Short mmCIF file of all heavy atoms in Angstrom, two decimals:
data_model
loop_
_atom_site.label_atom_id
_atom_site.label_comp_id
_atom_site.label_asym_id
_atom_site.label_seq_id
_atom_site.Cartn_x
_atom_site.Cartn_y
_atom_site.Cartn_z
N ILE A 1 -10.33 13.71 15.75
CA ILE A 1 -9.05 13.82 16.50
C ILE A 1 -8.41 15.17 16.22
O ILE A 1 -8.74 15.87 15.23
CB ILE A 1 -8.07 12.69 16.06
CG1 ILE A 1 -7.76 12.80 14.58
CG2 ILE A 1 -8.64 11.36 16.46
CD1 ILE A 1 -6.65 11.85 14.13
N ASN A 2 -7.46 15.58 17.02
CA ASN A 2 -6.63 16.72 16.75
C ASN A 2 -5.57 16.32 15.77
O ASN A 2 -5.13 15.16 15.68
CB ASN A 2 -5.92 17.14 18.03
CG ASN A 2 -6.87 17.41 19.13
OD1 ASN A 2 -7.83 18.15 19.07
ND2 ASN A 2 -6.62 16.81 20.31
N PHE A 3 -5.07 17.30 14.96
CA PHE A 3 -3.94 16.97 14.08
C PHE A 3 -3.11 18.16 13.78
O PHE A 3 -3.52 19.27 13.71
CB PHE A 3 -4.53 16.44 12.71
CG PHE A 3 -5.38 17.38 11.95
CD1 PHE A 3 -4.79 18.17 10.92
CD2 PHE A 3 -6.72 17.48 12.21
CE1 PHE A 3 -5.56 19.08 10.24
CE2 PHE A 3 -7.53 18.36 11.47
CZ PHE A 3 -6.94 19.15 10.46
N GLY A 4 -1.75 17.86 13.69
CA GLY A 4 -0.79 18.78 13.22
C GLY A 4 -0.34 18.28 11.82
O GLY A 4 -0.60 17.15 11.41
N ALA A 5 0.45 19.15 11.09
CA ALA A 5 0.82 18.76 9.71
C ALA A 5 2.22 19.23 9.41
O ALA A 5 2.65 20.36 9.80
CB ALA A 5 -0.19 19.33 8.72
N TYR A 6 2.96 18.40 8.66
CA TYR A 6 4.26 18.79 8.10
C TYR A 6 4.08 19.32 6.66
O TYR A 6 3.10 19.00 5.98
CB TYR A 6 5.18 17.58 8.04
CG TYR A 6 5.68 17.08 9.38
CD1 TYR A 6 5.14 16.02 10.02
CD2 TYR A 6 6.80 17.70 9.92
CE1 TYR A 6 5.66 15.56 11.20
CE2 TYR A 6 7.35 17.25 11.13
CZ TYR A 6 6.73 16.19 11.75
OH TYR A 6 7.27 15.75 12.96
N VAL A 7 5.07 20.09 6.23
CA VAL A 7 5.24 20.32 4.82
C VAL A 7 6.27 19.31 4.31
O VAL A 7 7.27 19.09 5.02
CB VAL A 7 5.67 21.75 4.55
CG1 VAL A 7 6.97 22.14 5.25
CG2 VAL A 7 5.83 21.99 3.01
N GLY A 8 6.04 18.71 3.19
CA GLY A 8 6.82 17.60 2.72
C GLY A 8 7.76 17.90 1.55
O GLY A 8 7.32 18.63 0.57
N LEU A 9 8.94 17.36 1.59
CA LEU A 9 9.90 17.53 0.46
C LEU A 9 9.27 16.95 -0.82
O LEU A 9 9.42 17.53 -1.87
CB LEU A 9 11.20 16.72 0.77
CG LEU A 9 12.12 16.55 -0.38
CD1 LEU A 9 12.68 17.92 -0.86
CD2 LEU A 9 13.29 15.62 0.02
N GLY A 10 8.60 15.80 -0.75
CA GLY A 10 8.04 15.19 -1.95
C GLY A 10 7.03 16.06 -2.64
O GLY A 10 7.04 16.23 -3.85
N ALA A 11 6.12 16.67 -1.82
CA ALA A 11 5.10 17.51 -2.36
C ALA A 11 5.72 18.79 -2.96
O ALA A 11 5.30 19.24 -4.04
CB ALA A 11 4.04 17.86 -1.31
N VAL A 12 6.66 19.36 -2.27
CA VAL A 12 7.33 20.57 -2.72
C VAL A 12 8.14 20.34 -3.95
O VAL A 12 8.08 21.07 -4.93
CB VAL A 12 8.16 21.15 -1.64
CG1 VAL A 12 9.09 22.29 -2.15
CG2 VAL A 12 7.30 21.72 -0.43
N ARG A 13 8.90 19.27 -3.97
CA ARG A 13 9.77 18.96 -5.13
C ARG A 13 8.92 18.60 -6.34
O ARG A 13 9.18 19.04 -7.45
CB ARG A 13 10.72 17.77 -4.76
CG ARG A 13 11.90 17.68 -5.69
CD ARG A 13 12.80 16.53 -5.26
NE ARG A 13 14.18 16.83 -5.65
CZ ARG A 13 14.70 16.53 -6.83
NH1 ARG A 13 13.91 15.99 -7.76
NH2 ARG A 13 15.97 16.81 -7.13
N SER A 14 7.88 17.84 -6.16
CA SER A 14 7.01 17.51 -7.24
C SER A 14 6.37 18.71 -7.90
O SER A 14 6.21 18.74 -9.14
CB SER A 14 5.93 16.49 -6.83
OG SER A 14 6.52 15.24 -6.44
N GLN A 15 5.94 19.64 -7.04
CA GLN A 15 5.28 20.82 -7.52
C GLN A 15 6.28 21.64 -8.38
O GLN A 15 5.88 22.33 -9.40
CB GLN A 15 4.77 21.68 -6.38
CG GLN A 15 4.02 22.91 -6.81
CD GLN A 15 3.31 23.59 -5.65
OE1 GLN A 15 2.76 22.86 -4.75
NE2 GLN A 15 3.30 24.92 -5.58
N VAL A 16 7.52 21.69 -8.03
CA VAL A 16 8.47 22.63 -8.67
C VAL A 16 9.30 21.90 -9.71
O VAL A 16 9.50 22.39 -10.83
CB VAL A 16 9.39 23.27 -7.63
CG1 VAL A 16 10.46 24.12 -8.32
CG2 VAL A 16 8.60 24.11 -6.65
N VAL A 17 9.82 20.70 -9.39
CA VAL A 17 10.77 19.99 -10.29
C VAL A 17 10.10 18.90 -11.09
O VAL A 17 10.46 18.59 -12.22
CB VAL A 17 11.96 19.40 -9.47
CG1 VAL A 17 12.91 18.66 -10.37
CG2 VAL A 17 12.70 20.48 -8.72
N GLY A 18 9.02 18.31 -10.49
CA GLY A 18 8.37 17.15 -11.14
C GLY A 18 8.98 15.90 -10.69
O GLY A 18 9.53 15.75 -9.56
N ALA A 19 8.89 14.86 -11.52
CA ALA A 19 9.30 13.54 -11.13
C ALA A 19 10.69 13.13 -11.68
O ALA A 19 11.10 11.99 -11.63
CB ALA A 19 8.30 12.45 -11.65
N ALA A 20 11.41 14.16 -12.16
CA ALA A 20 12.75 13.87 -12.83
C ALA A 20 13.85 13.66 -11.87
O ALA A 20 13.84 14.27 -10.74
CB ALA A 20 13.07 15.09 -13.74
N ASP A 21 14.82 12.87 -12.20
CA ASP A 21 15.99 12.61 -11.44
C ASP A 21 17.06 13.62 -11.79
O ASP A 21 17.92 13.41 -12.60
CB ASP A 21 16.55 11.18 -11.73
CG ASP A 21 17.74 10.78 -10.83
OD1 ASP A 21 18.15 11.67 -10.04
OD2 ASP A 21 18.28 9.71 -11.00
N ARG A 22 16.96 14.76 -11.17
CA ARG A 22 17.87 15.84 -11.40
C ARG A 22 17.81 16.80 -10.19
O ARG A 22 16.80 16.93 -9.47
CB ARG A 22 17.63 16.62 -12.71
CG ARG A 22 16.30 17.36 -12.73
CD ARG A 22 16.23 18.28 -13.94
NE ARG A 22 14.93 18.97 -14.08
CZ ARG A 22 14.66 20.17 -13.41
NH1 ARG A 22 15.63 20.65 -12.58
NH2 ARG A 22 13.54 20.76 -13.49
N PRO A 23 18.86 17.58 -9.98
CA PRO A 23 18.77 18.59 -8.93
C PRO A 23 17.98 19.84 -9.43
O PRO A 23 17.89 20.05 -10.60
CB PRO A 23 20.26 18.99 -8.74
CG PRO A 23 20.96 18.71 -9.98
CD PRO A 23 20.21 17.49 -10.55
N PRO A 24 17.43 20.56 -8.48
CA PRO A 24 16.72 21.79 -8.89
C PRO A 24 17.76 22.84 -9.34
O PRO A 24 18.89 22.87 -8.91
CB PRO A 24 16.00 22.22 -7.57
CG PRO A 24 16.86 21.65 -6.46
CD PRO A 24 17.39 20.37 -7.01
N THR A 25 17.27 23.66 -10.24
CA THR A 25 18.07 24.87 -10.57
C THR A 25 18.02 25.85 -9.37
O THR A 25 17.24 25.71 -8.45
CB THR A 25 17.51 25.54 -11.79
OG1 THR A 25 16.20 26.05 -11.47
CG2 THR A 25 17.37 24.64 -13.00
N ALA A 26 18.90 26.88 -9.47
CA ALA A 26 18.91 27.87 -8.39
C ALA A 26 17.53 28.51 -8.26
O ALA A 26 17.04 28.74 -7.10
CB ALA A 26 20.01 28.90 -8.62
N ALA A 27 16.91 28.79 -9.41
CA ALA A 27 15.56 29.43 -9.35
C ALA A 27 14.57 28.50 -8.75
O ALA A 27 13.72 28.92 -7.94
CB ALA A 27 15.15 29.85 -10.76
N GLU A 28 14.65 27.19 -9.13
CA GLU A 28 13.70 26.25 -8.56
C GLU A 28 13.92 26.03 -7.08
O GLU A 28 12.94 25.91 -6.32
CB GLU A 28 13.86 24.91 -9.29
CG GLU A 28 13.29 24.93 -10.74
CD GLU A 28 13.65 23.65 -11.51
OE1 GLU A 28 14.67 23.03 -11.14
OE2 GLU A 28 12.93 23.37 -12.51
#
């Protein structure tokens, strides 16, 4: 089949912030 793809908040946030319940820093 044909496919398009999104970039996801969960994947991006996990890569940078991890699984913690906190906001990202400005740098993050």
Side-chain angles (χ1 to χ4, degrees):
I1 62 173
N2 307 307
F3 63 93
Y6 287 100
V7 57
L9 169 64
V12 169
R13 197 176 209 276
S14 295
Q15 182 170 322
V16 176
V17 178
D21 183 0
R22 66 170 178 83
T25 66
E28 287 171 337

